[in-house]
Amino acid sequence: MTEQATGAHHPQPRARSAAQQPITEQVTGAQSLIRSLEEVGADTVFGIPGGAILPAYDPMFDSQRVRHILVRHEQGAGHAATGYAQATGKVGVCMATSGPGATNLVTPIADAHLDSVPIVAITGQVASKSIGTDAFQEADIVGITMPITKHNFLVTDAADIPRTIAEAFHIASTGRPGPVLVDIAKDALQARTTFSWPPVSDLPGYRPVTKPHAKQIREAARMLTQARRPVLYVGGGVLKARATEELRILAELTGAPVATTLMALGAFPDTHRQHVGMPGMHGSVSAVTALQKADLLVALGARFDDRVTGKTDTFAPYAKIVHADIDPAEIGKIRAADVPIVGDAREVLADLIVAVQAEHEAGRRGDYADWWRQIDSWRETYPLGYDLPEDGSLSPQQVIERIGQLAPKDTVFAAGVGQHQMWASQYIRYDKPYTWLNSGGAGTMGYAVPAAMGAKAGKPDTTVWAIDGDGCFQMTNQELVTCALNGIPIKVGIINNGALGMVRQWQTLFYNERYSNTVLHSGPGGDGKPALNGTRTPDFVKLAEAMGCVGLRCEDPADLDAVIEKANAINDRPVVVDFICHEDAMVWPMVAAGTSNDEVMAARGVRPDFGDMDD
């Protein structure tokens, strides 16, 4: 087992007072599993029963502490567990049977792995004597998921269930968080055993380093005060480590610019004076260029993803690199670090604050006045913006911007993948952590609806909006039935442009407008009438109503605010709003795949002029 993560999350074990005695009970393996889930503090499980896992569902029926939410597809269970974990900070749990039930979890497990999300996936397996015989509904899910889990277990002895569950939750939630799979043979679930809690864990090779080396911290602080053009390059690890307050203190102490990646939105307030934006392929010109022109990058819980760096050998050519991460495998993987720091992001930031204060007390302070003048000129010259369609139709950027502006306080937003995801990252202000959920590393279409469901299940008193595309929505919308039947009133805004929008944008820019298999709408209208904008087959309003939700549609910008406010006012059922948008809107700025960030385009045909800068 290898340690694989950016940033650390701290486990929240179930409290047990000193007066409470260890628990010992005679039970079945299935009862032991449910009791173990209760003891580790799991309160919600998303899943679907089937033959191999069925023994576990019988004692779950009696549990007063674990709520099971019956989803409509195992992929929905996995993404719901991820959304739950991202919104609450607790370990998300999903459950499926053997064979196709387990393999349907592969995509959400891979998604959680790439975004370092703590989930535990529990799968039933055929009886231990049948393993390897190609038995009915047998699949080697441990082998299949080996590359996409932080760790996984195959349990064939009922006595091992409590220890395995305790270890799975510990591994998932500590160090670099990530998914852990527990595959349990059916005969282990059916066997009689002794349930003993707390179990004795045995993880001799798993000791994540959380405390950073003092010498490295002092060197990072020294470089920060000596730099002329520093940037704090903040990744999702800062959120995983619950380190947002420490980040704000360090940023304000140093006065350095802060760029937050797609996975880190909300870690530092978007509206803060020092926030220069999101870097990356569709990041703001100010953030992309600040990283390119910086003489020092302090990377905190970030992994130099290709969507941030562009062409790697041209990324931040003038910058020295301080790279802090809890996963030593990330340091130096993409870009060599001048000062590598292995440790929990919260502890790294706390120690950096003290070290920078010591630098200040010694009379050494960074002077970034010229740097800020340069950044402010980029912000002023190349702000985020969009043009309204000339035909008077809805602008998708405007729709998303107004959803954000009209949303109740502390609303959580979950996005699918594509243009609407990028617009949601650009035009909604994230001033609080854990209010933005998306599939960053895997880019999983269909993520939004089940992730929003999981977030709402974990935070029932918080408004949750899913910003989805008409392509993404058609992949996992069946989970709206789950929401309707389980009292999970999420709100879904479909950015309906009748196309697989991001792929269509690439076809516009790089494939001579040859729109091969990206059209989702129904084609030309009958009787010579022009085609309607947006996807009309299926009719998303009727589909929503058929699934027990309120269905609304908005096509006229004049109705936009009223429709959004109507959706916000409905809190007893899920709401789906079909926003019919213009199909030609594009996401800008943009760095074309495989090119240098120096070639960022502020808009189509508009390449920023940065002039020359001293090295």
Side-chain angles (χ1 to χ4, degrees):
M1 178 179 63
T2 58
E3 232 298 87
Q4 305 172 344
T6 14
H9 174 62
H10 304 284
Q12 299 173 337
R14 183 173 180 82
R16 179 170 294 281
S17 72
Q20 287 178 303
Q21 297 299 313
I23 300 170
T24 303
E25 302 169 3
Q26 294 300 309
V27 295
T28 64
Q31 290 171 317
S32 179
L33 171 62
I34 303 307
R35 292 288 288 111
S36 299
L37 289 173
E38 291 175 341
E39 292 303 318
V40 293
D43 55 24
T44 306
V45 175
F46 303 92
I48 303 181
I53 195 66
L54 196 57
Y57 272 81
D58 188 66
M60 181 130 50
F61 193 63
D62 299 322
S63 177
Q64 300 299 306
R65 289 153 61 181
V66 177
R67 176 193 188 190
H68 183 274
I69 295 174
L70 177 62
V71 298
R72 266 50 192 171
H73 191 287
E74 290 88 356
Q75 183 181 353
H79 291 315
T82 293
Y84 173 95
Q86 287 178 310
T88 66
K90 296 190 287 187
V91 176
V93 186
C94 54
M95 190 176 286
T97 196
S98 62
T103 57
N104 279 342
L105 288 174
V106 168
T107 294
I109 289 172
D111 181 274
H113 178 65
L114 278 164
D115 287 346
S116 302
V117 180
I119 67 170
V120 170
I122 299 168
T123 53
Q125 183 54 276
V126 299
S128 54
K129 289 184 179 179
S130 297
I131 293 174
T133 68
D134 294 334
F136 177 68
Q137 289 195 331
E138 181 189 0
D140 177 13
I141 197 63
V142 167
I144 290 167
T145 61
M146 188 82 67
I148 55 168
T149 50
K150 187 175 175 184
H151 192 56
N152 56 27
F153 299 88
L154 173 61
V155 180
T156 57
D157 183 345
D160 293 336
I161 290 174
R163 175 181 57 81
T164 303
I165 294 299
E167 289 177 354
F169 274 71
H170 176 70
I171 292 167
S173 61
T174 56
R176 178 181 189 170
V180 176
L181 178 117
V182 180
D183 194 32
I184 309 176
K186 186 173 184 178
D187 53 329
L189 291 171
Q190 294 170 319
R192 299 295 298 180
T193 185
T194 299
F195 172 73
S196 177
W197 197 272
V200 177
S201 291
D202 181 26
L203 296 170
Y206 181 68
R207 292 190 179 88
V209 174
T210 57
K211 185 70 176 170
H213 196 289
K215 180 185 174 187
Q216 302 297 84
I217 291 288
R218 288 194 300 271
E219 180 63 12
R222 184 190 66 79
M223 291 175 71
L224 250 176
T225 54
Q226 289 184 350
R228 293 162 56 200
R229 303 189 301 274
V231 177
L232 302 182
Y233 160 32
V234 176
V238 169
L239 289 173
K240 302 292 191 300
R242 313 317 255 197
T244 57
E245 184 59 24
E246 288 81 359
L247 172 63
R248 186 190 59 79
I249 292 169
L250 179 69
E252 292 178 351
L253 178 66
T254 61
V258 180
T260 48
T261 67
L262 181 68
M263 292 307 300
L265 296 180
F268 191 76
D270 278 357
T271 55
H272 195 288
R273 166 78 180 85
Q274 288 171 242
H275 189 249
V276 296
M278 180 182 76
M281 175 176 278
H282 294 294
S284 65
V285 171
S286 55
V288 170
T289 310
L291 265 61
Q292 281 301 94
K293 306 298 185 183
D295 63 1
L296 175 68
L297 295 185
V298 180
L300 300 161
R303 58 187 181 88
F304 292 83
D305 179 76
D306 59 280
R307 281 298 193 260
V308 168
T309 65
K311 190 177 179 183
T312 311
D313 58 8
T314 65
F315 175 67
Y318 314 118
K320 289 190 176 299
I321 306 293
V322 173
H323 191 177
D325 203 291
I326 198 162
D327 183 0
E330 287 295 347
I331 298 176
K333 184 177 83 173
I334 304 296
R335 174 72 176 259
D338 297 281
V339 180
I341 302 174
V342 178
D344 174 85
R346 191 172 185 178
E347 298 209 29
V348 169
L349 282 161
D351 288 358
L352 259 179
I353 290 165
V354 175
V356 169
Q357 287 171 332
E359 288 287 307
H360 289 180
E361 289 165 6
R364 295 184 291 270
R365 286 178 179 270
D367 180 3
Y368 314 140
D370 289 343
W371 183 220
W372 273 113
R373 277 190 286 272
Q374 183 68 73
I375 289 172
D376 285 342
S377 73
W378 296 329
R379 286 205 278 206
E380 188 176 328
T381 308
Y382 304 106
L384 285 174
Y386 55 89
D387 295 321
L388 296 175
E390 293 180 0
D391 63 1
S393 58
L394 275 177
S395 155
Q397 299 98 318
Q398 183 183 27
V399 169
I400 291 168
E401 188 171 48
R402 292 304 290 159
I403 289 174
Q405 290 168 346
L406 296 171
K409 186 181 178 185
D410 300 334
T411 292
V412 171
F413 297 92
V417 167
Q419 288 181 317
H420 62 278
Q421 173 193 24
M422 294 297 100
W423 288 321
S425 73
Q426 292 174 333
Y427 293 107
I428 296 174
R429 299 275 70 83
Y430 301 99
D431 282 339
K432 291 194 174 180
Y434 319 110
T435 55
W436 163 248
L437 318 179
N438 84 129
S439 171
T444 306
M445 291 179 68
Y447 168 91
V449 169
M453 174 175 74
K456 184 68 173 176
K459 301 185 78 171
D461 297 328
T462 300
T463 299
V464 179
W465 267 98
I467 309 293
D468 220 355
D470 46 335
C472 283
F473 183 71
Q474 292 186 71
M475 294 191 172
T476 52
N477 61 56
Q478 69 272 11
E479 298 312 331
L480 285 170
V481 175
T482 310
C483 292
L485 294 178
N486 287 275
I488 305 174
I490 66 170
K491 306 179 194 304
V492 182
I494 304 172
I495 306 303
N496 183 354
N497 62 0
L500 298 173
M502 187 62 85
V503 186
R504 187 180 192 277
Q505 176 168 331
W506 283 44
Q507 289 173 331
T508 300
L509 296 174
F510 310 123
Y511 292 89
N512 299 315
E513 301 182 9
R514 289 164 55 82
Y515 300 119
S516 173
N517 290 285
T518 48
V519 175
L520 295 173
H521 58 68
S522 53
D527 301 324
K529 296 177 182 177
L532 295 169
N533 282 345
T535 294
R536 307 290 177 142
T537 305
D539 182 319
F540 292 132
V541 172
K542 290 180 180 178
L543 183 61
E545 292 170 348
M547 292 190 285
C549 307
V550 174
L552 306 172
R553 178 171 289 124
C554 182
E555 300 188 58
D556 188 338
D559 301 330
L560 180 58
D561 283 13
V563 172
I564 294 171
E565 286 168 345
K566 183 174 182 180
N568 281 328
I570 298 169
N571 292 302
D572 60 341
R573 285 169 291 168
V575 183
V576 176
V577 188
D578 184 14
F579 293 102
I580 307 293
C581 297
H582 199 282
E583 68 180 1
D584 289 330
M586 293 195 195
V587 181
W588 298 103
M590 181 175 181
V591 179
T595 66
S596 168
N597 283 355
D598 288 326
E599 297 176 47
V600 60
M601 302 292 285
R604 192 172 188 182
V606 179
R607 175 158 292 154
D609 179 8
F610 302 115
D612 294 320
M613 288 193 64
D614 295 332
D615 293 357

